[in-house]
Amino acid sequence: MDRYEQVIELAKRRGFLWNSFELYGGTAGFYDYGPLGSTLKRRIEQIWREIYVIQEGFMEIECPTVGIEEVFVASGHVGGFSDPLCECKQCGEAFRADHLIKHITEDADSLSDEELDNIIAKNSVKCPECGGDLGKTYEFNLMFKTQIGPGTGRKGYMRPETAQGMFVDFLRLARYYRDKLPFGATQIGKSYRNEISPRQGVIRLREFTQAEAEIFIDPKDKSHPNIRRFENTAINLYSDAAQDIGKSEIMTVREAVDNGIIAHEFLAYQVALVNHFLQRVGIAPGKLRFRQHRKDEMAHYAIDCWDAEILTDRFGWVEVVGIADRTDYDLSAHANMSKTELSIFIEYEQPKMVEKFVVKPNMGKMGPRFKGKAKVVAEALKALTAEELEKEEIKVLAAGEEFTVPREMVEFAQETIKISGETIVPHVIEPSFGIDRILYSVMEHAYDEEMVPSKESEEEAEDEARIVLRFKKEVSPVKVAVLPLLTRQELIEPSKEIAIKLKDKGLLVAYDDSGAIGRRYRRNDEIGTPYCITVDYDTLQDNTVTIRDRDSMQQVRAPIDTIDNVLYELVYTDRKFETAGKRI
RNA sequence: GCGCCGAUGGUCUAGCGGCUAUGACUGGGGCCUUCCAAGCCCUAAACCCGGGUUCGAAUCCCGGUUGGCGCACCA
């Protein structure tokens, strides 16, 4: 049993992850989050929100998971998110049809399926594997298609990423942020991709949770106002160059920027922020690296792109976050599609005075003379020089026709114009998180089997394994278990009272009075509960209980009346366990 | 999508033509129990689905579903 199997087995058994639709045999690529999984996921998302929404100030929005066709035509997903596949009739191997004819045509990737078939037939392209005949080319689009409304209603797609919602809402967002760059918006939600063959459990799903931020910045200023926060943070970088020698390198953010390893300060800040987030939710720092996209794997419009990768036992390095400078690609694409300018007006610190040659055709005179052609003639005039405009009879070519314009119909002058700013299309910095993958990684990195001496077999000295999920206290689904030492009414009653007190403090509490105390400790270790409170007979004498620490199995004794505050501080602040009570 | 290998209580598993289908752990109820999976009693719980072969199928064959691995794919 490898680590993956151990984690998945525990996850299934204890209510973290279940195969969806199991009752009906299940379907690949879908997972249910059970009671603990769902809670764990929410805790991870909550930390994400704390960092991106509260600290960074990128407000969260919520857009539909179904999108209309235009959105995904603009984003390129309708055309580009599918691949033309064609299969060998003999051996069944599937190939990218456009790749098969790359050596024959130049623009192979822009051809239709029919055109691809034609070229394949004309050049009698055969299966590269076995030489067999190739079948018809078909498009495999990775988006789930649906229909909006009844009948022949409008075409819709399940969104393959949450990002488009933020781009589509750009103008509204810009207004919300009062037209000041940089600003950003975030979204946490489900996205859908009809994967050809989803595998590897929760690593590749057909329905998955993304957390994305779209940060809009000034293309001419990619510094970050708060870079000092991370300047000296050391990060494990696996740059393009480092990949050539196959060894990542730990360096500070400042070094990475100064040496041009990360394209610019703003992107470097985002890389550092992701690093901070992943470690806070419990990813082992030694199993985390940032890999730069190679020149040939990066999207053509992107300036620089880094993937956060986490080392897992079975799958090796798994990509969990992508951080990219996508330039103005997305906004420009939607601007073209929607025929709406998606830009921001940036005011200069000092208005610029610009000398400009201005041509002012007198439309009141030109209109009657040139009728319907007046507009094109006027446009043509604007392109002329002062010298040409000074002639008595101005000859101008417009719409393939020569027109003669009398001098008095057009004025021109050298003018000084005040320009107080300019319109720019912001660049987009996009950190995009795969929450499901992060959740699995958090579980795997938290999973630990520890050998502890067994009480019973002292002579044989047979140790037994203690399974512990060493979650960060912040992310553990259950924060504290309350356990009467024995199943006796006089201990049960005060235990339940303590549980209520802790719930009132907002802590997720488990109460358990079945079985021997040791068994209950182990049950809670297995789901990563950081603290157990035990009520014993001393409690009835002096109103104190024991608090047991999951990682060290040490106990302290603390009074009941402040137990809720103590637990809260242990879980959510830096308060040390040793300070929680008297060491036993 | 192709190829190879698997699928038995909640979990892990035995069985490989002839049962009332092993066993362990877990779960529930009870007894006992003063701090790390103790003991005793009781109890619940499974042959992935559909066809076929056979007197008889958990077992053999075919198809499907599903899981793992390899290939392809992975904006």
Side-chain angles (χ1 to χ4, degrees), chain A residues 286-301:
Chain A
K287 294 179 175 178
L288 173 60
R289 74 178 182 195
F290 289 83
R291 191 183 70 81
Q292 187 171 37
H293 277 208
R294 312 298 305 246
K295 297 276 178 296
D296 57 347
E297 85 182 282
M298 197 157 58
H300 62 89
Y301 47 78

Side-chain angles (χ1 to χ4, degrees), chain A residues 526-559:
Chain A
E526 224 181 33
I527 62 168
T529 307
Y531 301 106
C532 292
I533 289 176
T534 306
V535 174
D536 56 23
Y537 279 94
D538 289 349
T539 308
L540 304 181
Q541 305 300 314
D542 60 7
N543 279 310
T544 62
V545 291
T546 64
I547 309 173
R548 170 193 182 265
D549 175 59
R550 174 242 284 156
D551 292 332
S552 64
M553 297 195 282
Q554 297 294 316
Q555 288 181 298
V556 295
R557 203 146 189 113

